[in-house]
Short mmCIF file of all heavy atoms in Angstrom, two decimals:
data_model
loop_
_atom_site.label_atom_id
_atom_site.label_comp_id
_atom_site.label_asym_id
_atom_site.label_seq_id
_atom_site.Cartn_x
_atom_site.Cartn_y
_atom_site.Cartn_z
N CYS A 45 -169.73 161.83 214.48
CA CYS A 45 -169.30 161.54 213.10
C CYS A 45 -168.20 162.55 212.60
O CYS A 45 -167.37 162.21 211.82
CB CYS A 45 -170.47 161.68 212.11
SG CYS A 45 -171.71 160.38 212.29
N HIS A 46 -168.31 163.75 213.23
CA HIS A 46 -167.28 164.73 212.87
C HIS A 46 -165.92 164.29 213.29
O HIS A 46 -164.94 164.47 212.56
CB HIS A 46 -167.61 166.11 213.41
CG HIS A 46 -166.60 167.09 213.10
ND1 HIS A 46 -166.55 167.62 211.83
CD2 HIS A 46 -165.81 167.78 213.93
CE1 HIS A 46 -165.57 168.66 211.90
NE2 HIS A 46 -165.12 168.71 213.09
N LEU A 47 -165.82 163.68 214.55
CA LEU A 47 -164.44 163.27 214.98
C LEU A 47 -163.95 162.07 214.20
O LEU A 47 -162.74 162.07 213.92
CB LEU A 47 -164.62 162.84 216.44
CG LEU A 47 -164.90 163.89 217.46
CD1 LEU A 47 -165.17 163.31 218.89
CD2 LEU A 47 -163.83 164.90 217.50
N ALA A 48 -164.81 161.20 213.74
CA ALA A 48 -164.34 160.13 212.91
C ALA A 48 -163.90 160.63 211.59
O ALA A 48 -162.88 160.16 210.98
CB ALA A 48 -165.56 159.12 212.64
N GLY A 49 -164.64 161.60 211.01
CA GLY A 49 -164.20 162.18 209.75
C GLY A 49 -162.86 162.86 209.87
O GLY A 49 -161.96 162.71 208.96
N ARG A 50 -162.63 163.53 210.94
CA ARG A 50 -161.35 164.27 211.21
C ARG A 50 -160.19 163.18 211.34
O ARG A 50 -159.12 163.28 210.87
CB ARG A 50 -161.38 165.12 212.41
CG ARG A 50 -160.07 165.90 212.65
CD ARG A 50 -160.16 166.80 213.89
NE ARG A 50 -161.43 167.32 214.02
CZ ARG A 50 -161.87 167.77 215.28
NH1 ARG A 50 -161.17 167.43 216.33
NH2 ARG A 50 -163.03 168.31 215.34
N GLY A 51 -160.56 162.06 212.02
CA GLY A 51 -159.52 161.04 212.23
C GLY A 51 -159.22 160.31 210.86
O GLY A 51 -158.07 160.11 210.60
N LEU A 52 -160.13 160.13 210.02
CA LEU A 52 -159.97 159.61 208.75
C LEU A 52 -159.09 160.45 207.88
O LEU A 52 -158.23 160.05 207.13
CB LEU A 52 -161.21 159.20 208.01
CG LEU A 52 -161.92 158.00 208.45
CD1 LEU A 52 -163.29 157.87 207.78
CD2 LEU A 52 -161.03 156.78 208.09
N THR A 53 -159.38 161.83 207.91
CA THR A 53 -158.56 162.73 207.14
C THR A 53 -157.11 162.68 207.59
O THR A 53 -156.17 162.65 206.73
CB THR A 53 -159.15 164.14 207.32
OG1 THR A 53 -160.54 164.13 206.82
CG2 THR A 53 -158.40 165.14 206.60
N GLU A 54 -156.93 162.53 208.88
CA GLU A 54 -155.48 162.50 209.39
C GLU A 54 -154.86 161.07 208.97
O GLU A 54 -153.76 161.06 208.63
CB GLU A 54 -155.44 162.55 210.86
CG GLU A 54 -155.85 164.00 211.31
CD GLU A 54 -156.00 164.11 212.88
OE1 GLU A 54 -155.70 163.12 213.57
OE2 GLU A 54 -156.55 165.23 213.30
N LEU A 55 -155.60 159.99 208.95
CA LEU A 55 -155.09 158.73 208.61
C LEU A 55 -154.84 158.66 207.16
O LEU A 55 -154.02 157.84 206.68
CB LEU A 55 -156.08 157.67 209.01
CG LEU A 55 -156.13 157.36 210.55
CD1 LEU A 55 -157.23 156.47 210.99
CD2 LEU A 55 -154.80 156.78 211.03
N LYS A 56 -155.52 159.42 206.38
CA LYS A 56 -155.32 159.51 204.85
C LYS A 56 -153.82 159.88 204.69
O LYS A 56 -153.25 159.40 203.65
CB LYS A 56 -156.28 160.52 204.16
CG LYS A 56 -156.08 160.73 202.81
CD LYS A 56 -156.76 159.63 202.02
CE LYS A 56 -156.79 160.02 200.51
NZ LYS A 56 -156.47 158.85 199.65
N GLU A 57 -153.27 160.70 205.44
CA GLU A 57 -151.85 161.06 205.34
C GLU A 57 -150.93 159.88 205.46
O GLU A 57 -149.94 159.61 204.88
CB GLU A 57 -151.44 162.16 206.25
CG GLU A 57 -152.14 163.49 205.87
CD GLU A 57 -151.98 164.54 206.92
OE1 GLU A 57 -151.06 164.44 207.74
OE2 GLU A 57 -152.75 165.58 206.85
N GLU A 58 -151.30 159.08 206.51
CA GLU A 58 -150.56 157.82 206.82
C GLU A 58 -150.83 156.67 205.77
O GLU A 58 -149.82 155.94 205.57
CB GLU A 58 -150.96 157.39 208.22
CG GLU A 58 -150.23 156.23 208.72
CD GLU A 58 -150.57 155.88 210.21
OE1 GLU A 58 -151.12 156.82 210.92
OE2 GLU A 58 -150.38 154.71 210.61
N PHE A 59 -151.97 156.66 205.21
CA PHE A 59 -152.42 155.55 204.34
C PHE A 59 -152.81 156.28 203.02
O PHE A 59 -154.02 156.39 202.77
CB PHE A 59 -153.50 154.64 204.73
CG PHE A 59 -153.11 154.09 206.17
CD1 PHE A 59 -153.51 154.49 207.31
CD2 PHE A 59 -152.44 152.82 206.03
CE1 PHE A 59 -153.27 153.85 208.53
CE2 PHE A 59 -152.15 152.14 207.21
CZ PHE A 59 -152.53 152.70 208.51
N PRO A 60 -151.90 156.75 202.25
CA PRO A 60 -152.30 157.55 200.94
C PRO A 60 -153.16 156.69 200.00
O PRO A 60 -153.86 157.31 199.14
CB PRO A 60 -151.00 157.92 200.32
CG PRO A 60 -149.92 157.07 201.00
CD PRO A 60 -150.47 156.60 202.24
N GLN A 61 -153.14 155.39 200.05
CA GLN A 61 -153.93 154.56 199.21
C GLN A 61 -155.46 154.49 199.62
O GLN A 61 -156.30 154.03 198.85
CB GLN A 61 -153.39 153.11 199.03
CG GLN A 61 -153.59 152.26 200.27
CD GLN A 61 -152.64 152.56 201.48
OE1 GLN A 61 -151.82 153.48 201.45
NE2 GLN A 61 -152.56 151.54 202.32
N LEU A 62 -155.67 155.00 200.82
CA LEU A 62 -157.04 155.03 201.39
C LEU A 62 -157.94 155.90 200.53
O LEU A 62 -157.66 157.04 200.38
CB LEU A 62 -156.98 155.49 202.81
CG LEU A 62 -158.22 155.47 203.63
CD1 LEU A 62 -158.72 154.03 203.83
CD2 LEU A 62 -158.03 156.13 205.02
N GLU A 63 -159.04 155.38 200.16
CA GLU A 63 -160.12 156.07 199.49
C GLU A 63 -161.30 156.25 200.39
O GLU A 63 -161.74 155.30 200.95
CB GLU A 63 -160.61 155.32 198.32
CG GLU A 63 -159.52 155.29 197.11
CD GLU A 63 -160.01 154.56 195.91
OE1 GLU A 63 -161.22 154.83 195.55
OE2 GLU A 63 -159.25 153.82 195.27
N ILE A 64 -161.73 157.48 200.59
CA ILE A 64 -162.78 157.76 201.52
C ILE A 64 -164.01 158.13 200.74
O ILE A 64 -163.95 159.10 199.86
CB ILE A 64 -162.39 158.82 202.52
CG1 ILE A 64 -161.14 158.47 203.29
CG2 ILE A 64 -163.62 159.19 203.43
CD1 ILE A 64 -160.57 159.52 204.17
N LYS A 65 -165.14 157.49 201.01
CA LYS A 65 -166.41 157.86 200.47
C LYS A 65 -167.42 158.16 201.60
O LYS A 65 -167.56 157.22 202.39
CB LYS A 65 -167.04 156.77 199.43
CG LYS A 65 -168.31 157.09 198.96
CD LYS A 65 -168.78 155.90 198.04
CE LYS A 65 -170.18 156.22 197.59
NZ LYS A 65 -170.85 155.05 196.84
N ARG A 66 -167.88 159.34 201.64
CA ARG A 66 -168.95 159.70 202.68
C ARG A 66 -170.22 159.55 202.16
O ARG A 66 -170.52 160.10 201.05
CB ARG A 66 -168.54 161.02 203.24
CG ARG A 66 -167.22 161.08 203.90
CD ARG A 66 -166.90 162.45 204.32
NE ARG A 66 -165.45 162.58 204.66
CZ ARG A 66 -164.99 163.28 205.69
NH1 ARG A 66 -165.89 163.85 206.46
NH2 ARG A 66 -163.71 163.30 205.97
N VAL A 67 -171.16 158.95 202.92
CA VAL A 67 -172.47 158.83 202.53
C VAL A 67 -173.35 159.36 203.70
O VAL A 67 -173.26 158.86 204.88
CB VAL A 67 -172.86 157.34 202.31
CG1 VAL A 67 -174.40 157.22 202.00
CG2 VAL A 67 -172.10 156.78 201.19
N ASP A 68 -174.13 160.37 203.40
CA ASP A 68 -175.11 160.91 204.35
C ASP A 68 -176.32 160.07 204.49
O ASP A 68 -177.16 160.00 203.54
CB ASP A 68 -175.52 162.31 203.95
CG ASP A 68 -176.25 163.06 204.99
OD1 ASP A 68 -176.95 162.46 205.80
OD2 ASP A 68 -176.19 164.32 204.97
N VAL A 69 -176.42 159.29 205.58
CA VAL A 69 -177.41 158.33 205.66
C VAL A 69 -178.82 159.00 205.95
O VAL A 69 -179.80 158.37 205.62
CB VAL A 69 -177.19 157.43 206.96
CG1 VAL A 69 -175.95 156.59 206.71
CG2 VAL A 69 -177.07 158.13 208.19
N THR A 70 -178.88 160.27 206.25
CA THR A 70 -180.20 160.84 206.26
C THR A 70 -180.70 161.26 204.89
O THR A 70 -181.91 161.27 204.66
CB THR A 70 -180.13 162.20 207.17
OG1 THR A 70 -179.14 163.06 206.61
CG2 THR A 70 -179.80 161.83 208.64
N LEU A 71 -179.79 161.48 203.97
CA LEU A 71 -180.24 161.78 202.65
C LEU A 71 -180.41 160.51 201.72
O LEU A 71 -181.03 160.48 200.73
CB LEU A 71 -179.17 162.68 201.91
CG LEU A 71 -179.05 164.11 202.53
CD1 LEU A 71 -177.88 164.80 201.78
CD2 LEU A 71 -180.40 164.88 202.37
N HIS A 72 -179.68 159.40 202.27
CA HIS A 72 -179.59 158.16 201.42
C HIS A 72 -179.79 156.94 202.33
O HIS A 72 -179.09 155.97 202.47
CB HIS A 72 -178.32 157.96 200.81
CG HIS A 72 -177.88 159.11 199.85
ND1 HIS A 72 -178.54 159.33 198.66
CD2 HIS A 72 -177.09 160.13 200.00
CE1 HIS A 72 -177.89 160.45 198.06
NE2 HIS A 72 -177.05 160.91 198.96
N PRO A 73 -181.10 156.99 203.06
CA PRO A 73 -181.36 155.87 204.02
C PRO A 73 -181.38 154.53 203.35
O PRO A 73 -181.00 153.53 203.96
CB PRO A 73 -182.64 156.27 204.61
CG PRO A 73 -183.26 157.16 203.61
CD PRO A 73 -182.22 157.93 202.99
N LYS A 74 -181.96 154.39 202.14
CA LYS A 74 -181.97 153.15 201.47
C LYS A 74 -180.63 152.56 201.26
O LYS A 74 -180.43 151.36 201.44
CB LYS A 74 -182.76 153.26 200.14
CG LYS A 74 -183.01 151.89 199.46
CD LYS A 74 -183.83 152.19 198.20
CE LYS A 74 -184.02 150.73 197.56
NZ LYS A 74 -184.72 150.85 196.25
N GLN A 75 -179.65 153.34 200.77
CA GLN A 75 -178.30 152.88 200.55
C GLN A 75 -177.69 152.43 201.82
O GLN A 75 -177.04 151.34 201.91
CB GLN A 75 -177.50 154.09 199.91
CG GLN A 75 -176.09 153.65 199.56
CD GLN A 75 -175.31 154.82 198.96
OE1 GLN A 75 -175.82 155.91 198.78
NE2 GLN A 75 -174.06 154.53 198.62
N ALA A 76 -177.90 153.13 202.89
CA ALA A 76 -177.33 152.76 204.22
C ALA A 76 -178.00 151.43 204.71
O ALA A 76 -177.28 150.55 205.14
CB ALA A 76 -177.53 153.86 205.24
N LEU A 77 -179.28 151.25 204.56
CA LEU A 77 -179.97 150.04 204.97
C LEU A 77 -179.51 148.88 204.16
O LEU A 77 -179.21 147.76 204.65
CB LEU A 77 -181.42 150.20 204.70
CG LEU A 77 -182.36 149.07 205.15
CD1 LEU A 77 -182.22 148.79 206.67
CD2 LEU A 77 -183.72 149.31 204.90
N GLU A 78 -179.35 149.02 202.80
CA GLU A 78 -178.87 147.96 201.94
C GLU A 78 -177.51 147.48 202.26
O GLU A 78 -177.08 146.42 202.16
CB GLU A 78 -178.97 148.37 200.50
CG GLU A 78 -180.44 148.43 199.98
CD GLU A 78 -180.53 149.13 198.62
OE1 GLU A 78 -179.52 149.63 198.05
OE2 GLU A 78 -181.73 149.04 198.07
N ALA A 79 -176.60 148.54 202.72
CA ALA A 79 -175.19 148.27 203.11
C ALA A 79 -175.13 147.64 204.50
O ALA A 79 -174.08 147.23 204.87
CB ALA A 79 -174.39 149.50 203.01
N GLY A 80 -176.27 147.63 205.32
CA GLY A 80 -176.19 147.07 206.57
C GLY A 80 -175.69 148.00 207.63
O GLY A 80 -175.24 147.58 208.65
N VAL A 81 -175.73 149.30 207.41
CA VAL A 81 -175.33 150.24 208.41
C VAL A 81 -176.43 150.41 209.42
O VAL A 81 -177.57 150.74 209.03
CB VAL A 81 -175.07 151.66 207.77
CG1 VAL A 81 -174.78 152.73 208.73
CG2 VAL A 81 -173.91 151.57 206.74
N ARG A 82 -176.08 150.08 210.64
CA ARG A 82 -176.99 150.17 211.77
C ARG A 82 -176.65 151.21 212.83
O ARG A 82 -177.45 151.61 213.62
CB ARG A 82 -177.02 148.77 212.48
CG ARG A 82 -177.43 147.61 211.61
CD ARG A 82 -178.88 147.73 211.29
NE ARG A 82 -179.31 146.53 210.48
CZ ARG A 82 -179.67 146.72 209.10
NH1 ARG A 82 -179.51 147.82 208.56
NH2 ARG A 82 -179.98 145.66 208.37
N MET A 83 -175.39 151.68 212.81
CA MET A 83 -174.93 152.63 213.69
C MET A 83 -173.99 153.61 212.94
O MET A 83 -173.24 153.19 212.05
CB MET A 83 -174.22 151.98 214.90
CG MET A 83 -173.77 152.96 215.92
SD MET A 83 -172.75 152.17 217.17
CE MET A 83 -174.08 151.24 218.03
N ILE A 84 -174.04 154.86 213.34
CA ILE A 84 -173.11 155.79 212.61
C ILE A 84 -172.16 156.46 213.74
O ILE A 84 -172.69 156.68 214.86
CB ILE A 84 -173.85 156.88 211.85
CG1 ILE A 84 -174.86 157.59 212.58
CG2 ILE A 84 -174.29 156.41 210.55
CD1 ILE A 84 -175.47 158.78 211.90
N PRO A 85 -170.96 156.67 213.48
CA PRO A 85 -170.32 156.45 212.20
C PRO A 85 -170.04 154.92 211.93
O PRO A 85 -169.99 154.16 212.92
CB PRO A 85 -168.91 157.20 212.37
CG PRO A 85 -168.73 157.21 213.84
CD PRO A 85 -170.05 157.25 214.41
N CYS A 86 -169.83 154.66 210.75
CA CYS A 86 -169.64 153.21 210.28
C CYS A 86 -168.62 153.31 209.28
O CYS A 86 -168.76 154.04 208.19
CB CYS A 86 -170.88 152.62 209.77
SG CYS A 86 -170.66 150.92 209.16
N LEU A 87 -167.55 152.54 209.35
CA LEU A 87 -166.50 152.45 208.32
C LEU A 87 -166.68 151.03 207.72
O LEU A 87 -166.94 150.04 208.39
CB LEU A 87 -165.07 152.45 208.88
CG LEU A 87 -164.67 153.67 209.63
CD1 LEU A 87 -163.25 153.50 210.14
CD2 LEU A 87 -164.87 154.96 208.90
N MET A 88 -166.62 151.01 206.34
CA MET A 88 -166.91 149.72 205.70
C MET A 88 -165.69 149.63 204.63
O MET A 88 -165.34 150.50 203.90
CB MET A 88 -168.12 149.75 204.88
CG MET A 88 -169.34 149.82 205.83
SD MET A 88 -170.91 149.96 204.99
CE MET A 88 -171.01 148.36 204.29
N ALA A 89 -165.10 148.34 204.64
CA ALA A 89 -164.08 148.06 203.62
C ALA A 89 -163.93 146.62 203.57
O ALA A 89 -163.85 145.89 204.60
CB ALA A 89 -162.80 148.81 204.00
N GLY A 90 -163.59 146.00 202.37
CA GLY A 90 -163.36 144.63 202.32
C GLY A 90 -164.39 143.74 202.96
O GLY A 90 -164.11 142.79 203.38
N GLY A 91 -165.64 144.14 202.80
CA GLY A 91 -166.71 143.26 203.42
C GLY A 91 -166.77 143.32 204.92
O GLY A 91 -167.54 142.70 205.56
N LYS A 92 -166.03 144.15 205.61
CA LYS A 92 -165.97 144.29 207.10
C LYS A 92 -166.50 145.65 207.43
O LYS A 92 -166.45 146.60 206.65
CB LYS A 92 -164.57 144.06 207.62
CG LYS A 92 -163.96 142.81 207.16
CD LYS A 92 -162.63 142.53 207.84
CE LYS A 92 -161.92 141.31 207.32
NZ LYS A 92 -162.45 140.10 208.03
N LYS A 93 -167.01 145.80 208.70
CA LYS A 93 -167.53 146.98 209.24
C LYS A 93 -166.95 147.32 210.52
O LYS A 93 -166.72 146.41 211.29
CB LYS A 93 -169.00 146.94 209.35
CG LYS A 93 -169.79 146.79 208.15
CD LYS A 93 -171.22 146.71 208.41
CE LYS A 93 -171.99 146.11 207.22
NZ LYS A 93 -173.30 145.59 207.70
N LEU A 94 -166.75 148.60 210.80
CA LEU A 94 -166.38 149.11 212.09
C LEU A 94 -167.30 150.21 212.46
O LEU A 94 -167.41 151.21 211.66
CB LEU A 94 -164.91 149.61 212.11
CG LEU A 94 -164.47 150.20 213.44
CD1 LEU A 94 -164.37 149.30 214.56
CD2 LEU A 94 -163.08 150.97 213.24
N SER A 95 -168.00 150.08 213.50
CA SER A 95 -168.94 151.21 213.88
C SER A 95 -168.94 151.34 215.43
O SER A 95 -168.50 150.42 216.14
CB SER A 95 -170.33 150.96 213.41
OG SER A 95 -170.89 149.73 213.96
N GLY A 96 -169.29 152.45 215.91
CA GLY A 96 -169.40 152.76 217.25
C GLY A 96 -169.67 154.22 217.51
O GLY A 96 -169.44 155.02 216.64
N ILE A 97 -170.18 154.50 218.68
CA ILE A 97 -170.49 155.96 219.05
C ILE A 97 -169.27 156.80 218.83
O ILE A 97 -169.34 157.84 218.29
CB ILE A 97 -171.23 156.09 220.31
CG1 ILE A 97 -172.47 155.38 220.29
CG2 ILE A 97 -171.34 157.43 220.72
CD1 ILE A 97 -173.16 155.20 221.65
N LEU A 98 -168.19 156.40 219.47
CA LEU A 98 -166.95 157.08 219.30
C LEU A 98 -165.85 156.15 218.80
O LEU A 98 -165.45 155.20 219.35
CB LEU A 98 -166.49 157.48 220.75
CG LEU A 98 -167.35 158.63 221.42
CD1 LEU A 98 -166.88 158.88 222.82
CD2 LEU A 98 -167.39 159.88 220.58
N LEU A 99 -165.46 156.40 217.57
CA LEU A 99 -164.40 155.68 216.91
C LEU A 99 -163.08 156.40 217.09
O LEU A 99 -162.84 157.56 216.44
CB LEU A 99 -164.65 155.50 215.46
CG LEU A 99 -165.77 154.55 215.15
CD1 LEU A 99 -165.97 154.43 213.59
CD2 LEU A 99 -165.70 153.19 215.77
N SER A 100 -162.17 155.89 217.80
CA SER A 100 -160.88 156.57 218.10
C SER A 100 -160.00 156.40 216.77
O SER A 100 -160.25 155.40 216.07
CB SER A 100 -160.18 156.02 219.23
OG SER A 100 -159.84 154.59 219.01
N LYS A 101 -159.06 157.30 216.62
CA LYS A 101 -158.16 157.14 215.51
C LYS A 101 -157.38 155.83 215.59
O LYS A 101 -157.11 155.19 214.51
CB LYS A 101 -157.25 158.34 215.42
CG LYS A 101 -156.46 158.37 214.15
CD LYS A 101 -155.77 159.82 213.85
CE LYS A 101 -154.74 160.15 214.89
NZ LYS A 101 -153.86 161.28 214.41
N GLU A 102 -157.08 155.38 216.79
CA GLU A 102 -156.38 154.08 216.99
C GLU A 102 -157.24 152.92 216.45
O GLU A 102 -156.74 151.91 215.80
CB GLU A 102 -156.06 153.93 218.42
CG GLU A 102 -154.95 154.92 218.91
CD GLU A 102 -155.42 156.32 219.13
OE1 GLU A 102 -156.60 156.45 219.44
OE2 GLU A 102 -154.63 157.19 218.93
N LYS A 103 -158.54 152.97 216.82
CA LYS A 103 -159.42 151.85 216.35
C LYS A 103 -159.49 151.80 214.78
O LYS A 103 -159.58 150.87 214.22
CB LYS A 103 -160.78 151.98 216.97
CG LYS A 103 -160.84 151.55 218.41
CD LYS A 103 -162.32 151.70 218.87
CE LYS A 103 -162.44 151.30 220.34
NZ LYS A 103 -163.81 151.46 220.87
N MET A 104 -159.68 153.08 214.25
CA MET A 104 -159.68 153.14 212.76
C MET A 104 -158.45 152.79 212.14
O MET A 104 -158.40 152.03 211.14
CB MET A 104 -160.11 154.61 212.41
CG MET A 104 -161.47 154.94 212.77
SD MET A 104 -162.09 156.58 212.12
CE MET A 104 -161.10 157.64 213.11
N ARG A 105 -157.30 153.04 212.70
CA ARG A 105 -155.97 152.67 212.12
C ARG A 105 -155.81 151.18 212.19
O ARG A 105 -155.40 150.54 211.20
CB ARG A 105 -154.87 153.32 212.95
CG ARG A 105 -153.42 152.86 212.52
CD ARG A 105 -152.31 153.42 213.36
NE ARG A 105 -152.18 154.83 213.10
CZ ARG A 105 -152.42 155.87 213.99
NH1 ARG A 105 -152.71 155.45 215.25
NH2 ARG A 105 -152.20 157.07 213.70
N SER A 106 -156.25 150.56 213.26
CA SER A 106 -156.18 149.08 213.36
C SER A 106 -157.10 148.41 212.38
O SER A 106 -156.76 147.39 211.70
CB SER A 106 -156.58 148.66 214.77
OG SER A 106 -156.67 147.28 214.90
N PHE A 107 -158.32 148.89 212.11
CA PHE A 107 -159.29 148.46 211.13
C PHE A 107 -158.68 148.62 209.73
O PHE A 107 -158.66 147.58 208.96
CB PHE A 107 -160.53 149.19 211.22
CG PHE A 107 -161.56 148.84 210.19
CD1 PHE A 107 -162.28 147.66 210.37
CD2 PHE A 107 -161.80 149.66 209.07
CE1 PHE A 107 -163.25 147.36 209.43
CE2 PHE A 107 -162.78 149.40 208.20
CZ PHE A 107 -163.54 148.12 208.33
N ILE A 108 -158.05 149.69 209.39
CA ILE A 108 -157.46 149.88 208.10
C ILE A 108 -156.26 148.93 207.79
O ILE A 108 -156.10 148.35 206.81
CB ILE A 108 -156.93 151.41 207.92
CG1 ILE A 108 -158.22 152.30 207.92
CG2 ILE A 108 -156.14 151.58 206.74
CD1 ILE A 108 -157.87 153.73 208.08
N LYS A 109 -155.47 148.78 208.91
CA LYS A 109 -154.32 147.82 208.77
C LYS A 109 -154.80 146.40 208.50
O LYS A 109 -154.05 145.62 207.83
CB LYS A 109 -153.39 147.89 209.97
CG LYS A 109 -152.57 149.11 210.07
CD LYS A 109 -151.65 148.99 211.30
CE LYS A 109 -150.78 150.24 211.38
NZ LYS A 109 -149.81 150.17 212.54
N LYS A 110 -155.85 146.01 209.02
CA LYS A 110 -156.36 144.55 208.76
C LYS A 110 -156.88 144.38 207.44
O LYS A 110 -157.05 143.22 206.98
CB LYS A 110 -157.50 144.35 209.89
CG LYS A 110 -157.02 144.19 211.21
CD LYS A 110 -158.14 143.91 212.21
CE LYS A 110 -157.58 143.77 213.63
NZ LYS A 110 -158.73 143.64 214.55
N ILE A 111 -157.29 145.42 206.71
CA ILE A 111 -157.81 145.24 205.38
C ILE A 111 -156.81 145.62 204.40
O ILE A 111 -155.99 145.26 203.85
CB ILE A 111 -159.07 146.02 205.12
CG1 ILE A 111 -158.89 147.47 205.56
CG2 ILE A 111 -160.25 145.47 205.64
CD1 ILE A 111 -160.02 148.42 205.17
#
């Protein structure tokens, strides 16, 4: 998750309109369950999800561009 967070921080410079909200699923499991989070890290936007054990900055960039 740390790598995804770092990648998102870097992408924030490229996409200044990007709003990042981090949710700690261990502290808020009900919120994660209700949102349909099954794997972390998980990016959610526009009703779409991107998750995976290792999310590269390129995968995240592509996801952001699609929304």
